[in-house]
Every structure is written in C-alpha cells, then in structure tokens.
C-alpha cells in the first residue's frame, strides 16, 4: 500500500514538473512574439514619420515654387507696362501668338469675339479677355510651333478663367497624377477655381480624386459640380491664393 502511495506521489510531482515546464515555454514564446510585434511596430511608426516629413517637404517646395512664379509674373508685368499702350491691336487676329497682361506664357488667339473681346489659349488655359489685355503680338517665328488644342470651357464673363481636366476612363492612380500636376499648373497660373471631370461609373475615380483633393495643399475646398457643369460626374475645386 505504501509503495502505491509513493508511486502516486511521484507521478503527481512529474506531472506538475511537466506542466510548469510547458507554462514556462508558453511564456517564453509569448514574450518572443510580443518582442517581434513591438519591433515591427517601431519600424512602421518610423516609416510613417519619414513619409510625413517627406510630405511636409513636398508641400513646402510647392509653396515656394508657386511663390517664386508669382513674383516672376509680377516682375514680368512691371517690365512690360511701357509696351502695353504700344501693342499693335490691329495685329490681333485668329491664329496670332500674343502676350497677355498677367499671363507669363504666350497665348494663341482662337477667335475674335464681339464687344472687343478675344478667346485665347495658353497651354491648358482657355480665356476670354478684352483685346486691351494684349500687350504684344509676337512674330510668327516666335510662335514655337502649333500648340495642341484643348477642349476647355470658356469663362462666364470677361477676365474670368475657367479651367478643367477630363480624366474619364483613366486608372485611379494615373488620373490622380494628372490631376495633381494640373492643380500645380492652375496655382502657377493664378487660377482660383477648376473643374475635374471624372464621370459617374462605379465611383472609383470620384472617390480617389476626392481623397487627393482632401489632402492637397493647394485646395481650399471642393464639392460636386452644379447640374449645369456635370453634376456628380465632375468636381469643382477652389484653390488657395499663393
């Protein structure tokens, strides 16, 4: 009887020893898993901080570029004030290349309008301006070749620029890259309101562009276009002044 009791106690001690050993192994594995998680979390946090600093640097670079461009435009405008009165208005004709007050790049005259106005095109810009805004008619050899025309919507009144970009059918990533550059160009051209046509579809483009506009440093606010300008198939973005 005594041997049986001793055997039972020995088995109980062995079972307890093994259970303690298992518990210790589990605790060690848990500590190792926690350590690996904490190390990876630290790496992710460091990557996020690095990306945040990069975004700040990009925003600052864009701000400085826009500020420099604005200063250059002001200096350019001041340097050609004396030429404004002498601009040969008679040379303003369809297809002529001209320089406009407040616009740095040359523009091509698309058509002559009534009431002394003209419609011109300068890169992405399409403007309706008074003929008095022409400060110089460039010689034909200075035109630099034919500029690719853009289908853009005219402004609702004189001296108002209406700009738009159409990304219907583009992949979300490609569309966002084009819109991002378009916004930079708009700010450099001192445009305060743009229209982005993305269509309806499944709403993928609208969502991606909305996320881009929400974090873009040049965008003051944005909202769906009015029914007459495309409704929910387009987005209006109002830009911050530089």
């Amino acid at each position: 009887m005594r041997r049986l009791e001793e055997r039972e106690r020995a088995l109980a001690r062995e079972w307890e020893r093994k259970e303690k050993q298992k518990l210790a192994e589990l605790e060690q594995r848990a500590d190792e898993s926690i350590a690996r998680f904490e190390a990876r979390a630290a790496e992710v946090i460091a990557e996020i901080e690095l990306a945040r600093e990069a975004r700040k640097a990009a925003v600052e670079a864009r701000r400085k570029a826009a500020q420099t461009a604005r200063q250059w435009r002001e200096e350019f405008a001041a340097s050609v004030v004396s030429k404004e009165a002498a601009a040969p208005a008679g040379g303003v004709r369809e297809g002529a290349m001209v320089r406009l007050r407040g616009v740095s790049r040359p523009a091509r005259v698309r058509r002559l309008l009534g009431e002394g106005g003209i419609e011109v095109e300068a890169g992405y810009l399409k403007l309706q301006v008074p003929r008095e805004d022409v400060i110089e008619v460039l010689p034909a050899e200075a035109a630099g070749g034919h500029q690719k025309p853009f289908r853009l919507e005219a402004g609702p009144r004189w001296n108002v620029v209406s700009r738009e970009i159409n990304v219907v059918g583009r992949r979300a990533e490609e569309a966002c890259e084009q819109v991002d550059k378009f916004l930079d160009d708009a700010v450099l051209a001192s445009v305060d309101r743009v229209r982005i046509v993305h269509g309806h579809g499944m709403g993928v483009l609208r969502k991606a562009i909305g996320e881009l506009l929400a974090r873009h440093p040049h965008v003051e606010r944005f909202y769906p276009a009015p029914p007459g300008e495309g409704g929910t198939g387009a987005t209006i973005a109002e830009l911050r002044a530089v």
Side-chain angles (χ1 to χ4, degrees):
M1 189 66 163
R2 181 178 298 174
R3 286 183 186 177
L4 181 59
E5 291 176 352
E6 290 177 353
R7 177 62 178 168
E8 289 178 350
R9 285 195 292 270
L11 290 173
R13 286 193 298 271
E14 180 65 17
W15 178 86
E16 183 178 358
R17 184 188 66 80
K18 289 182 178 179
E19 288 299 312
K20 288 182 177 179
Q21 184 178 0
K22 289 181 181 178
L23 180 60
E25 291 174 352
L26 289 173
E27 290 178 348
Q28 182 179 358
R29 285 199 292 268
D31 290 341
E32 291 173 351
S33 297
I34 292 172
R36 286 195 298 270
F37 171 79
E38 290 177 343
R40 180 53 186 159
E43 291 177 0
V44 171
I45 291 172
E47 292 172 358
I48 293 174
E49 291 296 329
L50 184 61
R52 183 179 300 161
E53 292 301 318
R55 284 195 298 272
K56 288 181 180 178
V59 169
E60 180 64 16
R62 284 177 175 170
R63 186 190 67 79
K64 289 183 177 179
Q67 184 180 32
T68 300
R70 177 176 57 81
Q71 293 173 348
W72 184 90
R73 285 196 306 272
E74 292 174 353
E75 293 173 1
F76 173 80
S79 69
V80 299
V81 166
S82 60
K83 297 181 182 179
E84 294 184 4
V92 178
R93 62 186 185 281
E94 291 184 3
M97 295 298 295
V98 298
R99 289 194 182 278
L100 300 173
R101 183 186 299 113
V103 178
S104 60
R105 68 181 64 183
R108 183 181 299 277
V109 179
R110 290 172 54 90
R111 59 189 177 124
L112 305 180
L113 305 172
E115 300 180 0
I118 58 174
E119 181 178 284
V120 299
E121 183 178 74
Y124 286 103
L125 284 172
K126 180 179 177 182
L127 307 86
Q128 290 184 353
V129 299
R131 195 170 303 196
E132 291 77 16
D133 277 5
V134 176
I135 60 177
E136 183 181 3
V137 177
L138 300 176
E141 59 270 18
H146 179 69
Q147 293 183 340
K148 183 180 179 181
F150 292 87
R151 294 178 57 85
L152 302 174
E153 191 171 291
R157 59 185 183 276
W158 299 124
N159 293 322
V160 174
V161 178
S162 178
R163 292 189 58 184
E164 70 178 39
I165 184 173
N166 190 326
V167 294
V168 174
R170 304 287 186 183
R171 291 182 295 105
E173 182 179 357
E174 180 184 6
C176 287
E177 289 178 359
Q178 292 181 352
V179 171
D180 183 55
K181 183 180 184 304
F182 170 77
L183 294 173
D184 288 342
D185 291 341
V187 168
L188 293 177
S190 298
V191 176
D192 58 6
R193 180 182 184 273
V194 297
R195 186 167 78 119
I196 303 164
V197 181
H198 43 66
H200 297 280
M202 301 295 293
V204 175
L205 274 183
R206 182 174 68 249
K207 179 180 178 182
I209 290 172
E211 292 173 352
L212 170 67
L213 297 178
R215 64 175 186 272
H216 202 284
H218 296 329
V219 177
E220 182 70 32
R221 67 191 188 106
F222 63 95
Y223 44 86
E229 296 186 54
T232 56
T235 296
I236 301 298
E238 296 182 4
L239 308 182
R240 294 188 174 97
V242 179

